[in-house]
Amino acid sequence: MKHTNYPYFDFLEFDPEKRANPSERSLWIAEKPEGGTTNENGEVEFTVPFSCQKNENNIEKKQGVDRQLQKLKLTAYGENVLRLSLGEVYPDSPMLSKDLETRRGPLFLEQEEDIWTIRDDATNTKGEIDFAEELISHWSDLLPPPQDALKATFYPKGSSVVSIQDYDQFFPARREAFSLAYITGEEGEIQQTYISIKATHKERFCGTGERFSKMDLSGKTFWLKNQDAQGTNNKRAYKNVPFYISSEGYGLFLHTSYEAKISLADHSSRSVQLLVSEPRLDVFFIGGDSPAEILYAYRQLTGFPSLPPLWSFGIWMSRMTYFAANEVMEICERLRAEDFPCDVIHLDTGWFRTDWLCEWRFHPERFPDPKGFVQELLENGFRLSLWQMPYIAEEAIQLQEARENNYIGPRKSTGLQGGSNFSALDYAGTIDFTYTAAKKWYQDLLKELLEMGVACIKTDFGEEIHMDATYKEMDAKGLANLYGLLYQEAAYEVTQDISGEGIIWARSGWAGCQRFPVHWGGDAAASWEGMAGSLKGGLHLGLSGFGFWSHDVPGFHGVPDFMNSVIPDDLYVRWTQFGVFTSHIRYHGTSKREPYSFPGISEIVKRWWHLRYALLPYILESSIQTTNSGLPVLRGMLLHFPDDHACWHIDDQYFFGDAFLVAPMLTSEDCRDVYLPEGSWVHFFSGKQTEGPRWLKNHKEELADMPVWTKEGAKVPLNPKKVNHTGEIDPEKTLELKIGENFKGIWYWMEKNQFANG
């Protein structure tokens, strides 16, 4: 649809050609409440009238149409969360923590003529409904007065203020936003709901999922619809999360799994606007004195990340794909022989009888003894990770069983596109994880592999499902975004049950998926732009509740030749450095990724791999912190310096745990600008001290080093000796490195401890 520059037709997506026939869809806008009460659950309920509007540029009431009365409910959870809901909310949402109801607190309504006040049991003001008349100095009757409108302000915590108000306009009928609204279809049923939040001219926003965008998202509109993003440099997203953080001291979680649209001061710079494609509206306003506190409260709502096992923090080696057991063993033997530490070997699409034909069974000739193969890997310190997907192929041996038992959603059409378009549409059906029997059937397929000793399942795809299918407990529109959560939960649960270790390797995501780590950033181009886009995605994902995140080093696919373009040496090294300072590090892509395949830089890479293993005690310490706080391992600068305006705009450097400030090299020029916030900073490789705040313009680093600083006085636990894998790390021998005047750089420390080569 072409832009009209009117909210009716652009943000709400009414068809401007159908103005003469407005019966197809109708907009209903909230007016001031007509009644309010505190119910038996300690929630405040309002009776709110909604008036029908004309389908025109000028937004005016449609005459002769009765208003509709709806119930609007406000609920409090703890000290800093308020829930505003219109319509029936999900009674048993998989997105929400199971203990949410234990934190519910009572609210009380006080009604006066000009204002209704909502308080908690400590008499804190939690909300106000404004009935006061606007101050008017009458001069002209040229234009009619504005419509009656709902004006409400909520205070989830202290100074955190969230206002929904209607007067975002040029003149009364030329409105850019509405406080609360819904849209009905031809039969009068509610199809979409809408809310807008007042925005200020200085407000900044972050979050909304794995967004490959600038740090400050103000002035942008996003469709919250999961899809195969096919890279990290576009508006598509594998992981959408209906949650954002505002620099004004609040977060907003839109509790839905349906497609939604969010304008962060874009369609109107005075409003955040949310449109969700379902008949209910359920939003949580989260207050906090810092973004980290807001994230903590969001995780209280949707779940905290669990702690992955220690071995998962080691090096993962993969490509698309290894095809045989002897090929894998040769790679493992060479990694060990050439002193490259490694913990995980990943088999991608080639371990089946036919490449990409997912049947959860090893090829009988190329992998003649799967159990022996897995055990031999384990004896040499390698865990095995396996690729699979949640779709059943037309040629799969399980297809008939899946169809007969409705383990895949029955489809209206069975047409296949053919070939691999990296899409659900290539396959005969989607496993129905809303159906308990189908979930168990899938888990039994994995159970046989896990009992062999397989350590991790790569839960690839899941962003898209067959929309023409019928699913047991949800309609396809409600399931599509939520599918990744149900899929990943199934694989995570059976892995934990069999191995005692909770881990998957996942690509899709939605609210709540952070409970099941680890997630990686998808199919980035092996280019500087792909690396920069990956970092942006990881930063926003960390600001959306996720704690553990990775990316394919040094990018997944070649450019311009998808399968065969040569990876530049400097890109391989710089992406390795970025990976060392990420919660998890995996090498993967469409061509060779093993470091010895890059002889010109393999010794540099080896040194960085050993640094990774030296840092593992610190990474584990930071990871434990991630599981019980609001902090991810890889953190946007604003999480540590929320009052520093520059940090709300920096998307190419980050904090790695508490101690490290990391600025990856994102070009082949070996120099970049770096911002050091307030404090004393020590360069991690040279030991040079610098005072902040300041910009380091054109800061240069040779290929073997990286722009990384630590806080002066930081204490960094390190593993002091070389190992081949994490099983050789002795936690009793961990050393604490204090960063101070006598620190001469990490390479000096490692050489002193006879750790690194070169």
Side-chain angles (χ1 to χ4, degrees):
M1 186 183 294
K2 294 181 179 179
H3 282 298
T4 67
N5 286 326
Y6 292 103
Y8 227 133
F9 307 111
D10 292 344
F11 188 76
L12 300 181
E13 297 191 329
F14 278 69
D15 188 344
E17 302 301 322
K18 295 183 178 180
R19 295 180 218 200
N21 181 24
S23 62
E24 181 184 2
R25 297 172 76 212
S26 296
L27 174 67
W28 299 75
I29 296 178
E31 299 181 351
K32 293 175 182 176
E34 291 189 345
T37 185
T38 300
N39 66 25
E40 65 276 8
N41 295 320
E43 303 162 312
V44 172
E45 289 185 335
F46 303 102
T47 302
V48 178
F50 286 75
S51 58
C52 190
Q53 308 296 308
K54 296 178 180 178
N55 187 355
E56 298 176 353
N57 290 346
N58 286 353
I59 296 171
E60 300 176 275
K61 283 186 182 181
K62 189 183 294 185
Q63 299 302 313
V65 179
D66 292 338
R67 298 184 306 168
Q68 295 183 349
L69 297 180
Q70 307 289 349
K71 291 291 184 182
L72 187 65
K73 185 164 62 179
L74 187 69
T75 312
Y77 297 97
E79 297 181 353
N80 59 341
V81 175
L82 293 172
R83 182 182 194 175
L84 186 70
S85 51
L86 178 70
E88 292 298 319
V89 299
Y90 295 106
D92 214 0
S93 169
M95 291 172 272
L96 297 179
S97 296
K98 291 182 171 57
D99 65 348
L100 179 62
E101 287 305 303
T102 64
R103 298 192 296 110
R104 181 188 288 188
L107 292 174
F108 305 93
L109 179 63
E110 300 173 2
Q111 295 174 283
E112 298 181 9
E113 183 177 355
D114 288 342
I115 193 165
W116 291 359
T117 304
I118 304 106
R119 304 190 195 278
D120 63 16
D121 55 358
T123 70
N124 297 305
T125 299
K126 306 302 287 186
E128 295 173 331
I129 309 296
D130 188 357
F131 289 87
E133 297 294 331
E134 297 290 336
L135 292 176
I136 298 294
S137 177
H138 186 76
W139 178 74
S140 172
D141 291 322
L142 181 62
L143 291 173
Q147 293 188 43
D148 184 22
L150 171 65
K151 294 186 290 181
T153 303
F154 302 102
Y155 307 94
K157 182 185 178 184
S159 60
S160 301
V161 180
V162 183
S163 295
I164 61 172
Q165 50 94 358
D166 211 63
Y167 301 139
D168 183 345
Q169 63 184 59
F170 173 56
F171 59 80
R174 287 288 171 92
R175 298 158 78 175
E176 304 290 350
F178 333 105
S179 57
L180 198 64
Y182 55 79
I183 295 167
T184 56
E186 287 186 44
E187 304 300 320
E189 76 285 3
I190 298 177
Q191 296 179 336
Q192 294 172 297
T193 49
Y194 166 100
I195 190 171
S196 71
I197 312 297
K198 182 179 180 180
T200 71
H201 67 280
K202 61 180 181 177
E203 196 164 355
R204 299 170 296 274
F205 305 93
C206 60
T208 76
E210 191 180 38
R211 198 61 63 195
F212 310 122
S213 189
K214 296 292 186 182
M215 180 55 65
D216 177 15
L217 299 178
S218 62
K220 292 184 178 292
T221 296
F222 300 106
W223 264 111
L224 302 180
K225 177 186 178 182
N226 283 355
Q227 54 190 311
D228 184 343
Q230 298 181 357
T232 61
N233 297 101
N234 57 64
K235 280 190 172 183
R236 297 182 294 272
Y238 306 98
K239 307 171 193 67
N240 287 278
V241 180
F243 166 75
Y244 70 83
I245 297 174
S246 163
S247 62
E248 292 296 294
Y250 78 94
L252 187 146
F253 171 42
L254 175 64
H255 178 219
T256 186
S257 62
Y258 285 76
E259 286 184 25
K261 190 176 186 180
I262 180 169
S263 167
L264 297 167
D266 180 18
H267 281 259
S268 168
S269 63
R270 293 174 289 199
S271 297
V272 172
Q273 301 181 61
L274 298 97
L275 179 70
V276 59
S277 299
E278 66 170 328
R280 61 175 66 83
L281 179 70
D282 194 15
V283 294
F284 290 82
F285 302 129
I286 305 169
D289 296 329
S290 68
E293 185 180 351
I294 292 168
L295 273 172
Y296 180 78
Y298 170 74
R299 286 179 175 174
Q300 286 183 307
L301 295 175
T302 59
F304 287 80
S306 59
L307 182 66
L310 175 63
W311 56 261
S312 73
F313 297 101
I315 304 291
W316 296 49
M317 194 71 246
S318 172
R319 72 168 88 139
M320 195 181 82
T321 178
Y322 302 134
F323 284 102
N326 58 2
E327 178 188 15
V328 172
M329 297 314 299
E330 288 174 6
I331 289 167
C332 292
E333 289 168 6
R334 187 165 179 183
L335 288 171
R336 291 285 186 256
E338 298 189 17
D339 194 28
F340 289 99
C342 183
D343 267 85
V344 185
I345 292 294
H346 172 71
L347 299 185
D348 218 60
T349 63
W351 61 284
F352 313 111
R353 62 184 171 97
T354 302
D355 191 16
W356 282 90
L357 179 57
C358 175
E359 295 178 304
W360 294 275
R361 297 184 183 184
F362 284 93
H363 190 289
E365 295 176 3
R366 292 186 278 108
F367 296 91
D369 180 14
K371 186 172 182 179
F373 166 65
V374 175
Q375 291 304 310
E376 185 177 357
L377 286 173
L378 286 169
E379 288 168 7
N380 288 281
F382 292 96
R383 262 79 173 185
L384 183 64
S385 166
L386 293 179
W387 177 92
Q388 50 83 82
M389 57 165 53
Y391 315 122
I392 306 296
E394 192 73 35
E395 302 85 7
I397 56 176
Q398 295 94 352
L399 178 62
Q400 183 176 351
E401 179 188 10
R403 278 183 170 158
E404 288 176 354
N405 293 281
N406 289 331
Y407 296 152
I408 56 177
R411 298 179 60 192
K412 298 173 185 175
S413 165
T414 58
L416 303 179
Q417 290 186 352
S420 179
N421 295 306
F422 298 95
S423 167
L425 297 178
D426 290 332
Y427 298 91
T430 301
I431 298 174
D432 183 2
F433 289 106
T434 73
Y435 183 28
T436 302
K439 177 181 177 180
K440 183 181 182 303
W441 174 76
Y442 167 77
Q443 289 179 323
D444 286 344
L445 293 172
L446 300 187
K447 185 177 179 181
E448 185 175 345
L449 299 167
L450 294 163
E451 287 176 341
M452 284 183 198
V454 171
C456 180
I457 300 299
K458 178 177 174 181
T459 50
D460 204 358
F461 294 87
E463 299 87 359
E464 297 165 352
I465 64 174
H466 289 99
M467 298 301 290
D468 63 346
T470 301
Y471 299 95
K472 195 78 171 179
E473 298 295 334
M474 291 188 74
D475 65 274
K477 290 181 180 179
L479 177 61
N481 283 328
L482 193 63
Y483 187 80
L485 174 63
L486 304 181
Y487 167 37
Q488 291 160 27
E489 181 180 46
Y492 180 95
E493 285 178 352
V494 70
T495 303
Q496 189 170 53
D497 287 346
I498 301 301
S499 70
E501 296 177 325
I503 185 170
I504 54 173
W505 194 269
R507 191 178 72 176
S508 60
W510 192 255
C513 282
Q514 72 272 6
R515 303 194 297 263
F516 313 113
V518 172
H519 291 78
W520 99 98
D523 299 336
S527 66
W528 298 107
E529 293 80 9
M531 183 166 133
S534 295
L535 174 55
K536 290 175 182 177
L539 290 174
H540 279 294
L541 193 67
L543 290 161
S544 304
F546 285 68
F548 301 99
W549 172 84
S550 187
H551 41 89
D552 289 343
V553 183
F556 173 70
H557 69 89
V559 178
D561 189 317
F562 187 87
M563 298 296 295
N564 304 304
S565 285
V566 175
I567 308 297
D569 281 358
D570 59 346
L571 178 67
Y572 191 101
V573 172
R574 294 303 192 191
W575 210 317
T576 290
Q577 294 167 347
F578 173 32
V580 165
F581 285 94
T582 308
S583 82
H584 289 75
I585 174 171
R586 183 184 76 155
Y587 288 76
H588 183 63
T590 55
S591 58
K592 292 180 179 180
R593 292 296 188 267
E594 300 77 27
Y596 50 73
S597 300
F598 299 79
I601 44 89
S602 62
E603 288 302 313
I604 294 176
V605 172
K606 183 185 300 181
R607 197 182 199 196
W608 275 84
W609 282 26
H610 283 297
L611 173 59
R612 173 70 180 191
Y613 281 78
L615 288 168
L616 284 181
Y618 171 80
I619 295 170
L620 182 61
E621 182 182 86
S622 299
S623 298
I624 292 170
Q625 181 190 30
T626 287
T627 65
N628 55 36
S629 71
L631 296 169
V633 177
L634 188 145
R635 307 169 184 173
M637 300 277 286
L638 63 90
L639 284 172
H640 282 264
F641 291 90
D643 296 327
D644 187 329
H645 294 298
C647 291
W648 282 85
H649 296 275
I650 294 174
D651 53 38
D652 60 357
Q653 59 184 71
Y654 59 93
F655 277 91
F656 185 60
D658 285 335
F660 291 100
L661 190 159
V662 182
M665 285 293 188
L666 299 171
T667 71
S668 60
E669 297 172 1
D670 291 337
C671 69
R672 58 159 292 163
D673 294 344
V674 178
Y675 179 68
L676 298 180
E678 184 177 359
S680 297
W681 302 94
V682 180
H683 192 276
F684 192 51
F685 296 96
S686 70
K688 181 181 177 182
Q689 294 180 303
T690 307
E691 293 295 317
R694 64 175 297 185
W695 280 95
L696 303 178
K697 294 290 186 179
N698 296 315
H699 175 81
K700 186 171 180 60
E701 295 278 3
E702 298 299 328
L703 187 62
D705 293 336
M706 182 186 188
V708 177
W709 284 261
T710 55
K711 296 177 181 178
E712 185 175 12
K715 297 176 181 179
V716 182
L718 296 173
N719 163 43
K721 298 296 179 183
K722 273 189 183 181
V723 294
N724 289 307
H725 54 84
T726 55
E728 296 180 351
I729 294 177
D730 185 351
E732 300 277 330
K733 295 182 179 179
T734 297
L735 295 181
E736 185 175 81
L737 173 63
K738 185 172 181 179
I739 308 297
E741 293 182 4
N742 297 323
F743 178 62
K744 298 180 181 179
I746 191 60
W747 297 139
Y748 175 84
W749 183 91
M750 291 174 66
E751 290 164 4
K752 183 180 176 182
N753 283 276
Q754 300 181 343
F755 195 115
N757 296 329

